[in-house]
Amino acid sequence: MNQETLKRMDLDFVLHTYARNWTHFVKGRGARLYDEKGKEYIDFGSGIAVCSVGHGNERLAQAIANQAKNLIHTSNLYLIEPQAKLAKKLVELSGYDMRVFFANSGAEANEGALKIARKFGEENGELKRYQIITLDSSFHGRTISTLKATAQSKMHQYFGPFPDGFVYAKDLSDVPNKISDVTCAVLLELVQGEGGITPFDKQEIQNLAKTLKEKNVLLMVDEVQTGIYRSGELFASQVYGITPDVITTAKGLAGGVPIGAVMTTLKDIFAPGDHGSTFGGNFLSTSAALEVLEILHTHKQSGELDKTIVYFTHKLQDLQKRNAEIFTEEVGLGLMRGLRVRDLETLTKFLSVAFEAGVLVLKSGRNTARFLPSLNITKEEIDEGFKRIESCLAKL
Ligand SMILES: *Cc1c(COP(=O)(O)O)cnc(C)c1O
């Protein structure tokens, strides 16, 4: 179907929740995408950190096809072999002594975390503790409660009344001020993905973790974007040297098949009936995730992932230094990186001219160009992407 017909159909029948770019991609290979006119793009966005092993990955496609030909779904009423194996693998590769619940998205994984926090708060302490502290510029999802957990007031304009019990801290140092008799948990990202790609300071995070432990308040880390080797380790929490009480993850876990996971050291927090999901952890998504983890673990073990991080970061830093009047700073962790752009207008223009030149770059916050390449992107693909970016800067 051609782009114009498809656009018309989309406008007529799909709710208008996205400010879409109307490009019609028809093919993907590695970090390359092709539109219907055959134009090639280098994808530095990976479908927002989702396509962790690139597009058209043969191994992932085989794993999905093999599983689909046999069983896609039976429900959580029965044993699911790849689900148990995936839980074991997440625990073993992370080194965290946890158990896992599987959902279908980041928001849903966070819903699970919120329920863990609330049940913990109910069972521990004299008072019923229910408040959850989150941070300014955070992003935790689009369901009614994760939207309220997201401390960005512009997103709370409609949709109320929201569930009670969310308290916002300005920054890490403000978190202790917000702890009260009824606080049960703190939920935060270690690098805010939608809030401008700013990694928090390692020492400050470790100090906060210690404070929370002393006060018997849960530390819940939203690794929906930072997780699954995006930071250079399976979880950014490992880079920060902390053991959270709860970790949520989703985006890159199954390379594009919808999945979410919430992991916790509170291994017996839930009893049968407390939580559940029809689709969560089914044969298809967990088989896909197992293959993704195998691919990425090997990539990490071989030293290739670390090399790619160094190479990509060096390319970005070099670009920033040589164009300091456009890009004021290079920021990030692992392959979750950002370039601060001098103002919003230039940022918008940059994303658009880069796209014209054949490179997909994302936006984060009000002044950051965000780079989330696939974790197995090649040196050649990186070079080509940066070459195209160089070629379009004169237009700014
Ligand atoms: C994307 C994201 C979410 C929401 O995930 P969905 O799969 O869109 O529900 C939550 N938290 C963070 C940090 C994210 O980046």
mmCIF file of all heavy atoms in Angstrom, residues 105-107 110 139-141 189 194 222 224-225 251, ligand 1:
data_model
loop_
_atom_site.group_PDB
_atom_site.id
_atom_site.type_symbol
_atom_site.label_atom_id
_atom_site.label_comp_id
_atom_site.label_asym_id
_atom_site.label_seq_id
_atom_site.Cartn_x
_atom_site.Cartn_y
_atom_site.Cartn_z
ATOM 1 N N SER A 105 4.453 -4.830 29.169
ATOM 2 C CA SER A 105 4.934 -3.497 28.814
ATOM 3 C C SER A 105 5.643 -2.904 30.020
ATOM 4 O O SER A 105 5.592 -3.467 31.131
ATOM 5 C CB SER A 105 3.762 -2.591 28.437
ATOM 6 O OG SER A 105 2.945 -2.377 29.575
ATOM 7 N N GLY A 106 6.252 -1.750 29.788
ATOM 8 C CA GLY A 106 6.937 -1.062 30.870
ATOM 9 C C GLY A 106 5.970 -0.562 31.931
ATOM 10 O O GLY A 106 6.188 -0.730 33.135
ATOM 11 N N ALA A 107 4.878 0.060 31.458
ATOM 12 C CA ALA A 107 3.900 0.591 32.408
ATOM 13 C C ALA A 107 3.342 -0.531 33.282
ATOM 14 O O ALA A 107 3.186 -0.373 34.498
ATOM 15 C CB ALA A 107 2.764 1.287 31.663
ATOM 16 N N ASN A 110 5.723 -1.564 35.860
ATOM 17 C CA ASN A 110 5.703 -0.592 36.959
ATOM 18 C C ASN A 110 4.455 -0.722 37.817
ATOM 19 O O ASN A 110 4.512 -0.514 39.035
ATOM 20 C CB ASN A 110 5.842 0.830 36.406
ATOM 21 C CG ASN A 110 7.265 1.136 35.978
ATOM 22 O OD1 ASN A 110 8.221 0.496 36.450
ATOM 23 N ND2 ASN A 110 7.435 2.099 35.094
ATOM 24 N N PHE A 139 9.712 9.463 34.047
ATOM 25 C CA PHE A 139 8.670 8.885 33.200
ATOM 26 C C PHE A 139 8.481 7.428 33.589
ATOM 27 O O PHE A 139 9.429 6.646 33.586
ATOM 28 C CB PHE A 139 9.011 8.984 31.707
ATOM 29 C CG PHE A 139 7.905 8.434 30.849
ATOM 30 C CD1 PHE A 139 6.771 9.197 30.593
ATOM 31 C CD2 PHE A 139 7.966 7.156 30.341
ATOM 32 C CE1 PHE A 139 5.720 8.678 29.842
ATOM 33 C CE2 PHE A 139 6.911 6.626 29.583
ATOM 34 C CZ PHE A 139 5.796 7.396 29.340
ATOM 35 N N HIS A 140 7.251 7.057 33.921
ATOM 36 C CA HIS A 140 7.006 5.686 34.357
ATOM 37 C C HIS A 140 5.871 4.997 33.611
ATOM 38 O O HIS A 140 5.576 3.841 33.895
ATOM 39 C CB HIS A 140 6.757 5.655 35.866
ATOM 40 C CG HIS A 140 7.931 6.143 36.664
ATOM 41 N ND1 HIS A 140 9.150 5.504 36.649
ATOM 42 C CD2 HIS A 140 8.096 7.235 37.464
ATOM 43 C CE1 HIS A 140 10.009 6.164 37.415
ATOM 44 N NE2 HIS A 140 9.389 7.222 37.921
ATOM 45 N N GLY A 141 5.210 5.682 32.667
ATOM 46 C CA GLY A 141 4.199 4.999 31.870
ATOM 47 C C GLY A 141 2.927 5.804 31.700
ATOM 48 O O GLY A 141 2.822 6.941 32.164
ATOM 49 N N GLU A 189 14.389 6.297 37.967
ATOM 50 C CA GLU A 189 15.251 5.841 36.875
ATOM 51 C C GLU A 189 16.670 6.274 37.219
ATOM 52 O O GLU A 189 16.858 7.369 37.748
ATOM 53 C CB GLU A 189 14.855 6.517 35.565
ATOM 54 C CG GLU A 189 13.431 6.304 35.119
ATOM 55 C CD GLU A 189 12.947 7.475 34.250
ATOM 56 O OE1 GLU A 189 13.142 7.429 33.032
ATOM 57 O OE2 GLU A 189 12.385 8.436 34.809
ATOM 58 N N GLU A 194 13.196 9.924 29.353
ATOM 59 C CA GLU A 194 12.380 10.952 28.699
ATOM 60 C C GLU A 194 12.710 12.320 29.278
ATOM 61 O O GLU A 194 12.339 13.336 28.706
ATOM 62 C CB GLU A 194 10.880 10.661 28.898
ATOM 63 C CG GLU A 194 10.447 9.247 28.537
ATOM 64 C CD GLU A 194 10.770 8.865 27.100
ATOM 65 O OE1 GLU A 194 10.468 9.644 26.188
ATOM 66 O OE2 GLU A 194 11.343 7.785 26.894
ATOM 67 N N ASP A 222 13.309 1.823 38.027
ATOM 68 C CA ASP A 222 12.647 1.652 36.734
ATOM 69 C C ASP A 222 13.729 1.527 35.658
ATOM 70 O O ASP A 222 14.326 2.511 35.243
ATOM 71 C CB ASP A 222 11.729 2.858 36.462
ATOM 72 C CG ASP A 222 11.013 2.769 35.110
ATOM 73 O OD1 ASP A 222 11.446 1.963 34.252
ATOM 74 O OD2 ASP A 222 10.029 3.506 34.915
ATOM 75 N N VAL A 224 13.134 0.194 32.668
ATOM 76 C CA VAL A 224 12.403 -0.116 31.440
ATOM 77 C C VAL A 224 13.245 0.302 30.222
ATOM 78 O O VAL A 224 13.291 -0.410 29.223
ATOM 79 C CB VAL A 224 11.017 0.583 31.435
ATOM 80 C CG1 VAL A 224 10.351 0.475 30.066
ATOM 81 C CG2 VAL A 224 10.122 -0.041 32.501
ATOM 82 N N GLN A 225 13.942 1.416 30.354
ATOM 83 C CA GLN A 225 14.791 1.883 29.249
ATOM 84 C C GLN A 225 16.272 1.544 29.466
ATOM 85 O O GLN A 225 16.981 1.184 28.525
ATOM 86 C CB GLN A 225 14.613 3.399 29.065
ATOM 87 C CG GLN A 225 15.111 3.902 27.733
ATOM 88 C CD GLN A 225 14.567 5.281 27.347
ATOM 89 O OE1 GLN A 225 15.216 6.040 26.652
ATOM 90 N NE2 GLN A 225 13.374 5.633 27.777
ATOM 91 N N LYS A 251 11.482 -2.618 27.605
ATOM 92 C CA LYS A 251 11.765 -2.257 26.203
ATOM 93 C C LYS A 251 12.631 -3.231 25.394
ATOM 94 O O LYS A 251 12.163 -3.837 24.452
ATOM 95 C CB LYS A 251 12.359 -0.848 26.141
ATOM 96 C CG LYS A 251 11.312 0.230 26.422
ATOM 97 C CD LYS A 251 11.852 1.618 26.169
ATOM 98 C CE LYS A 251 10.765 2.675 26.102
ATOM 99 N NZ LYS A 251 10.377 3.277 27.378
HETATM 100 C C1 LIG B 1 9.087 3.521 28.032
HETATM 101 C C2 LIG B 1 9.161 3.644 29.497
HETATM 102 C C3 LIG B 1 8.066 3.254 30.306
HETATM 103 C C4 LIG B 1 6.750 2.805 29.731
HETATM 104 O O1 LIG B 1 6.868 1.636 28.992
HETATM 105 P P1 LIG B 1 5.622 1.172 28.056
HETATM 106 O O2 LIG B 1 6.101 -0.138 27.496
HETATM 107 O O3 LIG B 1 5.455 2.223 27.019
HETATM 108 O O4 LIG B 1 4.455 1.036 28.923
HETATM 109 C C5 LIG B 1 8.228 3.318 31.679
HETATM 110 N N1 LIG B 1 9.379 3.740 32.234
HETATM 111 C C6 LIG B 1 10.436 4.120 31.481
HETATM 112 C C7 LIG B 1 11.695 4.567 32.152
HETATM 113 C C8 LIG B 1 10.364 4.093 30.092
HETATM 114 O O5 LIG B 1 11.399 4.494 29.361
#
